[in-house]
Amino acid sequence: MMKKMSISTSKTSLVLFLCQIISALDVPLDLSQPPTITQQSPKDYIVDPRENIVIQCEAKGKPPPSFSWTRNGTHFDIDKDAQVTMKPNSGTLVVNIMNGGKAEAYEGVYQCTARNERGAAISNNIVIRPSRSPLWTKEKLEPNHVREGDSLVLHCRPPVGLPPPIIFWMDNAFQRLPQSERVSQGLNGDLYFANVQPEDTREDYICYARFNHTQTIQQKQPISVKVFSMDSLNDTIAANLSDTDIYGAKPVTERPPVLLTPTGSTSTKVELRGNVLLLECIAAGLPTPVIRWIKEGGELPANRTFFENFKKTLKIIDVSEADSGNYKCIARNTLGSVHHVISVTVKAAPYWITAPRNLVLSPGEDGTLICRANGNPKPSISWLANGVPIAIAPEDPSRKVDGDTIIFSHVQERSSAVYQCNASNEYGYLLANAFVNVLAEPPRILTPANKLYQVIADSPALLDCAYFGSPKPEIEWFKGVKGSILRGNEYVFHDNGTLEIPVAQKDSAGTYTCVARNELGKIQNEVQLEIKDPTMIIKQPEYKVIQRYGQVSFECIIKHDSTLLPTVVWLKDNDELPDDERFLVGKDNLTIMNVTDKDDGTYTCIVNTTLDSVSASAVLTVVARPNPPFDLELTGQLERSIELSWIPGDENNSPITSFVIEYEDALHEPGVWHYQTEVPGTQTTAQLKLSPYVNYSFRVIAVNKIGRSQPSEPSEQYLTKSASPDENPANVQGIGSEPDNLVITWEPLKGFQSNGPGLQYKVSWRQKDVDDEWTSVIVANVSKYIVSGTPTFVPYEVKVQALNDLGYAPEPSEVIGHSGEDLPMVAPGNVQVHVINSTLAKVHWDPVPLKTVRGHLQGYKVYYWKVQSLSRRSRRHVEKKILTFKGNKTFGMLPGLEPYSSYKLNVRVVNGKGEGPASPDKVFKTPEGVPSSPSFLKITNPTLDSLTLEWGSPTHPNGVLTSYTLKFQPINNTHELGPLVEIRIPANESSLILKNLNYSTRYKFYFNAQTSVGSGSQITEEAVTIMDEAMASRQVDIATQGWFIGLMCAVALLILILLIVCFIRRNKGGKYPVKEKEDAHADPEIQPMKEDDGTFGEYRLFSFVSSAPF
């Protein structure tokens, strides 16, 4: 949702233009002119009697006028009253009340006259009255004793003040008394009760009168009201009568409406045009009547009609003669209606149709003064000249009076005067001054020269040329200094000299010249017009929905004329932003942090320049989880249902989608709330199903898109009556725990399912398929019962029935159970094994008879284990493996067997108690398989053309080894493989010397073993032959030779000695040039340290050679 508005300059310019038209005939103050009243006090002037009285009268004229006053129609001699002074150069009177004067002494009708040599202007008749705020007269107020349901009027009757006081009712604590359709204050200040209720009883009904003019409040004595309810009245009567008397006050009876004000069926009302019409109807009755208003034969005026005081007052503003007519108020309740017709007549004090305006004429010219007014009754028009009735004023041959018009012909300078027009009827009068000023003046332009006008493109431009002259000058406009006269539809020329360009464009800018001429002369003036680019909001704020405590930003990016300086103002709901640090105003945006509900509203960005103003608005909606519902009420209480109603809390701008209803059982689970039901968000009542013997409380949670509200306050508690159980325990089972018992279990009923006190269970059982009677036992509120002495694993019919102090639940359904199991009696027979391959075998067996299982058949278990490997003839630790086959299965697969091995197995039947006896062990053998890889492959003793290979037999031969296979091939420096050679080796060998190999060559070897079934996985290794025999002999570990160790120690000692000598030499002779050091003969002991000496080189060479074999 986004609203946009723009404030242009056209309206402002138009207002200024109209003002200029009104003042276009103003005579410059440096020219002779009759007086003009510029300021005066109101006609009806109520003054504060404690302050000085100021009666205003200001006027202008040339020469400056002198002032005089009349009081009550006679001359008021100011000099004779020490309390009265007139302000200098003014006609304003000041009556000094604060220094001893009394305001009452200056009540009266005052009129001011401003006079100079060209005429006299007069003010309105100003009626001076001091305000009054008298005290309430003392009176004895009797308490009001009223029967419940009757009507009552508490009279205020405030003292008559000037102006009339404002009335309101409060109590002793200065709190306004609450008003409603039943209790309200009338226009006369009285307090009306349509019907009284017991809560109306109080002793402090106080009427207050506030006199705004004197800023005082007067208080009436408190009024006491005592309302007697029917119950208390019956108790009072009964206490005063004997047992044999018949007594009883009538109950409160409903009554049809009766009007308390106005009385009767009709009344009249007169109101003046332009005032506010107030019509009132207040009715009594029970139930409280509702008021409705209509206008007979017409409609109530739209946009001007308002209803106040709970529709008891009809208010029509700015009434006119068209509002006259009959207005009917209708008071209605369930027992009937009553009405009253008010005949309204709208009269009118005089109002202007055409008020006379000042007239400036040159000698010999003609003119008219027109004075036209209307009213009801129609006003009479009278003329005065210089404050004197025109009939007795000095004659002027150029003047002729024709009713509401004075016609002037061939005026002369002596014709100058001030004329007064008086329009009056019984409701008031109008008085207007208008002068006739006869002057001969050449034109003058009053607008400043070279005035600069700046307007926004595509807006109206109004260029002023305020002028004066007598006779009235003619005005012409030119564009530019030597441009042609402006004419055409694109310009508007106003009588006051203003040039209007309705739609100013960029090319409208420039210099404009105004020329004024009459028969006495000519004058011109230049003004400048600049056209500016309009200010625009190019990125407007947008409608936002934000969760409470979130953050929101509104953008307002603008574009404006570069020569104008804009200011940006943000408003909230057309008022200033709150003084809150959460509101951050940036250059182009408004950010609100930690948003609260109070931030909801319309935000407006207003951009102002000196020439235009634009704005854009957007609405911020703050959403949140709903407030919790309240006022939960239980109605329609029945044994198994109840109606719950509630009032939704505030939805916080996100519609409520559903209500979740929860309940608490204070009898069985206090403090624990359970889900009851969920209803749509449009529903505020729910019919709830109830269980017996539950102490219910309910609460309601509202849900919207944002989340769930807090739970409401709990409702009142409602305890349902007890009843026999409605249902029996669930999940009833009969399972034996021992071979000679039957354990009957069930899920106990929850507390609210018991339906009453004394919850117990009737447990019944009998053996199935046997003609036995039911055996029953009643147990306490437990969850199992054990039946002892039963046969082993026989079926039983079982049932469990709930009961309480009020009776049994419905007959329960039966379930089948079994007594306890025992271990199976026999082993499976005819066990056969079929070997499929070296690692997989299949076993078969015959099922055991079901009677021998003695329980629920769960399946068969096959135990199997390896006895020995046939290839090694050695025993090892026996590890038994178990496979379980569920159900009545009679075969199974044995995976993961080891090849060429001997195995044993047996089979056992399994029930819920355990395993039965094992079948006799069955022996079977697995055939040979391929062997695993040899355990190792090691290559030693390399020579120029031979290598020695050693290996270990496979860890798992999986049969009888028949041979080994060796494959090898050379590898060159680029890791390319040469031709592959294969050798078959007997199974009893564990080493091999390969001869006739290439010297200094790398070989890759592949080695595996075979049985009669096939080849096993292979193992790989790599080795290198050596370069020559010398290196081979030196291949002996040189680091272990004694001569090598001695040589290394000698070299280390020699190096240490050389380092010490060098260090001493460097620290002995101080400093000398490096060049001299190089040229000096070296010490023989340290000669080997020179770089060109061969010692270290030989050492390095020797060291290298010694590391290789000789």
Side-chain angles (χ1 to χ4, degrees):
M1 181 188 299
M2 184 175 67
K3 299 184 293 184
K4 180 181 178 184
M5 59 182 178
S6 177
I7 307 171
S8 69
T9 58
S10 58
K11 292 185 178 179
T12 305
S13 300
L14 183 58
V15 171
L16 293 174
F17 164 65
L18 292 175
C19 293
Q20 291 164 358
I21 291 179
I22 294 172
S23 61
L25 296 179
D26 282 357
V27 180
L29 282 176
D30 62 333
L31 298 178
S32 297
Q33 57 185 290
T36 300
I37 300 290
T38 57
Q39 191 173 359
Q40 56 183 316
S41 293
K43 293 180 181 178
D44 191 7
Y45 188 16
I46 299 175
V47 298
D48 190 333
R50 300 166 299 181
E51 297 180 355
N52 292 342
I53 302 173
V54 178
I55 311 175
Q56 290 183 327
C57 180
E58 303 292 340
K60 66 178 181 177
K62 180 69 173 182
S66 60
F67 297 90
S68 62
W69 286 85
T70 62
R71 177 182 174 188
N72 298 327
T74 60
H75 176 66
F76 182 31
D77 193 345
I78 298 169
D79 297 333
K80 293 183 178 180
D81 193 329
Q83 302 294 335
V84 181
T85 58
M86 184 182 295
K87 291 183 177 181
N89 303 318
S90 167
T92 298
L93 298 182
V94 178
V95 181
N96 196 333
I97 301 300
M98 302 179 70
N99 284 336
K102 292 186 177 180
E104 292 80 4
Y106 293 92
E107 286 191 66
V109 180
Y110 293 77
Q111 189 172 43
C112 170
T113 300
R115 186 186 309 275
N116 68 8
E117 62 188 30
R118 289 201 163 231
I122 61 175
S123 70
N124 293 319
N125 287 327
I126 302 171
V127 179
I128 302 295
R129 295 186 294 170
S131 63
R132 290 187 290 273
S133 52
L135 298 176
W136 246 292
T137 56
K138 291 186 178 181
E139 55 182 328
K140 184 178 181 180
L141 299 177
E142 297 293 336
N144 292 272
H145 298 280
V146 195
R147 187 175 62 174
E148 180 182 357
D150 288 353
S151 62
L152 175 65
V153 180
L154 299 183
H155 297 290
C156 179
R157 299 191 183 98
V160 178
L162 186 67
I166 297 172
I167 305 300
F168 52 94
W169 290 79
M170 294 199 298
D171 58 16
N172 273 331
F174 296 101
Q175 299 297 314
R176 286 187 178 268
L177 297 175
Q179 298 192 23
S180 62
E181 288 185 342
R182 186 178 64 86
V183 182
S184 60
Q185 177 182 317
L187 294 176
N188 64 352
D190 292 347
L191 193 62
Y192 293 86
F193 295 77
N195 52 79
V196 295
Q197 302 297 326
E199 60 264 26
D200 296 327
T201 297
R202 62 190 307 153
E203 297 181 351
D204 58 348
Y205 286 93
I206 305 174
C207 181
Y208 287 85
R210 183 174 66 219
F211 297 90
N212 284 345
H213 226 77
T214 57
Q215 298 180 349
T216 58
I217 295 178
Q218 304 290 352
Q219 173 185 331
K220 187 182 179 76
Q221 290 179 317
I223 302 174
S224 174
V225 174
K226 174 70 173 176
V227 179
F228 293 99
S229 66
M230 293 302 99
D231 292 340
S232 62
L233 197 58
N234 283 335
D235 292 343
T236 303
I237 296 173
N240 292 282
L241 294 176
S242 65
D243 293 340
T244 59
D245 290 328
I246 300 175
Y247 68 95
K250 294 181 181 180
V252 177
T253 57
E254 295 183 341
R255 294 177 289 103
V258 175
L259 285 176
L260 298 175
T261 183
T263 58
S265 59
T266 62
S267 60
T268 60
K269 172 80 172 180
V270 175
E271 191 56 79
L272 292 182
R273 181 180 186 272
N275 287 355
V276 176
L277 174 64
L278 295 174
L279 304 179
E280 180 181 58
C281 273
I282 300 178
L286 186 66
T288 302
V290 176
I291 306 295
R292 185 169 66 92
W293 290 89
I294 61 173
K295 182 180 182 183
E296 294 182 344
E299 298 290 334
L300 295 174
N303 304 322
R304 295 189 292 115
T305 301
F306 303 92
F307 298 101
E308 297 179 346
N309 197 19
F310 309 97
K311 291 192 175 182
K312 299 174 187 179
T313 302
L314 172 65
K315 177 180 178 181
I316 301 176
I317 63 173
D318 193 22
V319 294
S320 65
E321 290 85 343
D323 295 321
S324 297
N326 293 331
Y327 292 80
K328 179 187 288 188
C329 69
I330 304 168
R332 185 185 304 276
N333 67 8
T334 55
L335 299 184
S337 65
V338 65
H339 68 268
H340 184 93
V341 177
I342 305 173
S343 179
V344 174
T345 301
V346 178
K347 298 290 186 177
Y351 55 92
W352 291 118
I353 296 176
T354 303
R357 297 179 58 192
N358 292 337
L359 191 60
V360 178
L361 301 174
S362 64
E365 279 192 313
D366 302 335
T368 58
L369 290 178
I370 301 174
C371 177
R372 289 178 185 158
N374 202 357
N376 186 10
K378 188 169 182 63
S380 61
I381 302 295
S382 61
W383 287 97
L384 295 87
N386 296 325
V388 178
I390 201 165
I392 60 174
E395 290 189 8
D396 183 350
S398 64
R399 177 182 68 208
K400 178 183 178 182
V401 178
D402 185 7
D404 57 10
T405 303
I406 301 179
I407 303 170
F408 297 92
S409 304
H410 303 289
V411 295
Q412 301 300 319
E413 186 175 352
R414 63 178 180 273
S415 300
S416 296
V418 181
Y419 292 87
Q420 289 81 32
C421 172
N422 185 303
S424 61
N425 65 12
E426 59 186 283
Y427 298 106
Y429 73 92
L430 293 174
L431 178 67
N433 290 277
F435 64 65
V436 175
N437 196 15
V438 181
L439 293 172
E441 285 292 326
R444 62 170 69 182
I445 294 179
L446 307 178
T447 300
N450 292 312
K451 183 175 181 180
L452 176 62
Y453 292 89
Q454 295 176 326
V455 298
I456 298 296
D458 299 325
S459 297
L462 297 170
L463 308 182
D464 293 335
C465 184
Y467 65 90
F468 183 79
S470 185
K472 182 179 179 181
E474 294 181 358
I475 303 297
E476 292 177 327
W477 279 93
F478 301 84
K479 185 174 182 185
V481 180
K482 297 182 180 180
S484 59
I485 188 170
L486 298 181
R487 291 187 176 88
N489 296 329
E490 56 184 312
Y491 302 103
V492 178
F493 303 95
H494 294 283
D495 288 343
N496 68 339
T498 297
L499 169 65
E500 179 181 356
I501 307 173
V503 182
Q505 305 291 340
K506 282 287 188 179
D507 58 3
S508 301
T511 301
Y512 289 80
T513 303
C514 163
V515 177
R517 61 165 55 90
N518 67 9
E519 61 189 38
L520 300 179
K522 168 186 169 183
I523 192 171
Q524 68 180 38
N525 187 37
E526 293 179 0
V527 296
Q528 307 296 323
L529 175 62
E530 291 182 357
I531 307 298
K532 304 293 184 180
D533 291 326
T535 305
M536 294 183 292
I537 300 177
I538 58 177
K539 179 67 174 177
Q540 300 177 353
E542 298 177 345
Y543 173 65
K544 295 291 181 69
V545 177
I546 190 71
Q547 288 192 33
R548 187 186 295 163
Y549 309 125
Q551 176 179 324
V552 67
S553 290
F554 291 108
E555 286 187 295
C556 185
I557 301 177
I558 64 173
K559 179 182 178 183
H560 61 90
D561 191 287
S562 60
T563 62
L564 299 178
L565 182 62
T567 58
V568 179
V569 178
W570 286 91
L571 302 178
K572 179 182 183 294
D573 297 329
N574 294 324
D575 204 349
E576 293 183 358
L577 290 178
D579 185 12
D580 192 328
E581 61 184 10
R582 296 181 302 108
F583 288 77
L584 306 177
V585 178
K587 177 183 177 183
D588 298 322
N589 59 21
L590 167 67
T591 301
I592 308 173
M593 313 286 290
N594 196 21
V595 172
T596 67
D597 293 337
K598 292 181 180 180
D599 300 331
D600 199 278
T602 300
Y603 289 84
T604 303
C605 164
I606 301 178
V607 185
N608 294 311
T609 69
T610 54
L611 299 182
D612 63 349
S613 178
V614 292
S615 67
S617 299
V619 174
L620 173 63
T621 300
V622 181
V623 297
R625 295 185 301 170
N627 292 349
F630 57 95
D631 280 358
L632 273 64
E633 184 178 6
L634 298 176
T635 56
Q637 290 91 338
L638 300 175
E639 289 187 2
R640 293 298 181 96
S641 69
I642 197 168
E643 183 173 88
L644 173 66
S645 61
W646 61 89
I647 298 176
D650 194 333
E651 63 184 18
N652 291 325
N653 295 322
S654 180
I656 295 174
T657 57
S658 62
F659 292 100
V660 176
I661 301 172
E662 297 178 338
Y663 73 91
E664 176 199 27
D665 180 4
L667 193 61
H668 302 100
E669 294 181 289
V672 180
W673 289 91
H674 302 275
Y675 173 85
Q676 171 87 13
T677 188
E678 187 168 352
V679 299
T682 56
Q683 199 170 316
T684 57
T685 61
Q687 195 72 27
L688 306 178
K689 294 182 179 180
L690 305 179
S691 297
Y693 195 53
V694 176
N695 194 7
Y696 282 100
S697 289
F698 299 97
R699 69 183 187 184
V700 184
I701 299 171
V703 182
N704 65 8
K705 288 184 178 180
I706 311 304
R708 295 161 64 103
S709 73
Q710 292 294 320
S712 67
E713 292 295 323
S715 69
E716 60 181 305
Q717 293 185 342
Y718 179 63
L719 177 63
T720 54
K721 293 182 179 180
S722 302
S724 58
D726 293 325
E727 52 190 312
N728 288 302
N731 198 21
V732 177
Q733 293 181 326
I735 302 174
S737 61
E738 299 294 337
D740 61 349
N741 74 7
L742 171 68
V743 180
I744 302 173
T745 61
W746 61 90
E747 288 184 8
L749 297 182
K750 296 180 180 178
F752 72 90
Q753 294 176 309
S754 65
N755 285 8
L759 177 64
Q760 294 178 302
Y761 300 100
K762 180 181 179 182
V763 183
S764 303
W765 67 93
R766 68 179 177 184
Q767 191 172 336
K768 192 175 184 297
D769 301 327
V770 177
D771 192 16
D772 281 352
E773 295 293 328
W774 286 94
T775 302
S776 299
V777 62
I778 293 178
V779 299
N781 188 12
V782 294
S783 60
K784 74 176 180 178
Y785 180 77
I786 300 176
V787 181
S788 302
T790 63
T792 301
F793 197 68
V794 295
Y796 277 86
E797 293 177 308
V798 177
K799 58 183 180 180
V800 180
Q801 185 178 24
L803 68 151
N804 62 18
D805 291 350
L806 282 82
Y808 286 86
E811 186 66 23
S813 58
E814 302 163 5
V815 298
I816 303 299
H818 288 81
S819 58
E821 300 178 72
D822 205 347
L823 294 176
M825 299 173 63
V826 299
N830 193 25
V831 177
Q832 300 293 329
V833 179
H834 171 60
V835 178
I836 297 175
N837 57 38
S838 61
T839 61
L840 181 63
K842 184 176 182 180
V843 60
H844 292 263
W845 62 88
D846 290 340
V848 299
L850 289 178
K851 288 185 178 180
T852 66
V853 176
R854 298 199 295 180
H856 295 286
L857 175 62
Q858 294 186 353
Y860 292 87
K861 286 185 177 181
V862 177
Y863 287 75
Y864 65 101
W865 62 97
K866 181 180 175 181
V867 178
Q868 67 177 16
S869 172
L870 297 178
S871 61
R872 296 181 179 178
R873 302 296 180 185
S874 61
R875 293 181 177 273
R876 61 177 185 174
H877 175 69
V878 176
E879 180 183 353
K880 290 187 177 181
K881 297 182 180 179
I882 304 172
L883 286 175
T884 301
F885 301 93
K886 293 184 178 180
N888 199 20
K889 203 170 185 180
T890 59
F891 67 91
M893 306 299 289
L894 304 180
L897 302 177
E898 294 185 13
Y900 204 51
S901 300
S902 176
Y903 280 88
K904 286 185 179 181
L905 66 76
N906 59 51
V907 184
R908 310 175 193 193
V909 66
V910 182
N911 67 9
K913 188 71 173 179
E915 301 175 0
S919 66
D921 292 349
K922 186 74 175 178
V923 178
F924 67 97
K925 296 179 180 179
T926 56
E928 288 188 81
V930 296
S932 64
S933 63
S935 57
F936 68 89
L937 175 62
K938 184 166 66 174
I939 303 172
T940 61
N941 301 324
T943 66
L944 286 174
D945 61 351
S946 68
L947 292 169
T948 301
L949 280 68
E950 298 176 355
W951 63 85
S953 59
T955 305
H956 301 288
N958 293 339
V960 178
L961 295 180
T962 59
S963 64
Y964 291 100
T965 298
L966 174 65
K967 299 177 183 179
F968 64 94
Q969 58 191 145
I971 307 174
N972 62 18
N973 292 334
T974 61
H975 299 285
E976 294 178 347
L977 298 174
L980 185 66
V981 179
E982 181 176 334
I983 300 175
R984 181 80 65 171
I985 304 171
N988 57 354
E989 297 290 340
S990 61
S991 65
L992 175 68
I993 297 175
L994 286 176
K995 298 181 178 180
N996 300 322
L997 302 176
N998 297 328
Y999 75 92
S1000 188
T1001 301
R1002 179 176 293 277
Y1003 287 89
K1004 186 170 185 178
F1005 298 90
Y1006 313 90
F1007 193 70
N1008 61 6
Q1010 289 87 31
T1011 65
S1012 59
V1013 177
S1015 299
S1017 56
Q1018 64 186 13
I1019 186 172
T1020 64
E1021 280 292 344
E1022 292 184 9
V1024 181
T1025 58
I1026 62 178
M1027 293 177 62
D1028 54 47
E1029 291 295 335
M1031 292 180 63
S1033 63
R1034 298 292 180 97
Q1035 193 72 26
V1036 179
D1037 192 356
I1038 194 171
T1040 64
Q1041 302 300 310
W1043 64 266
F1044 180 77
I1045 296 173
L1047 178 63
M1048 291 297 101
C1049 290
V1051 171
L1053 180 61
L1054 180 61
I1055 292 173
L1056 180 61
I1057 293 171
L1058 291 174
L1059 290 174
I1060 293 173
V1061 172
C1062 181
F1063 180 77
I1064 294 172
R1065 179 69 179 269
R1066 283 180 179 273
N1067 289 278
K1068 183 183 290 185
K1071 302 176 182 177
Y1072 52 86
V1074 174
K1075 181 63 179 174
E1076 291 180 9
K1077 179 181 179 182
E1078 291 178 351
D1079 294 340
H1081 295 288
D1083 191 330
E1085 293 182 2
I1086 62 172
Q1087 185 66 24
M1089 291 298 294
K1090 294 179 62 178
E1091 288 188 7
D1092 58 353
D1093 187 30
T1095 304
F1096 280 123
E1098 290 176 2
Y1099 168 74
R1100 290 194 290 269
L1101 177 61
F1102 175 75
S1103 175
F1104 172 75
V1105 171
S1106 68
S1107 66
F1110 287 98

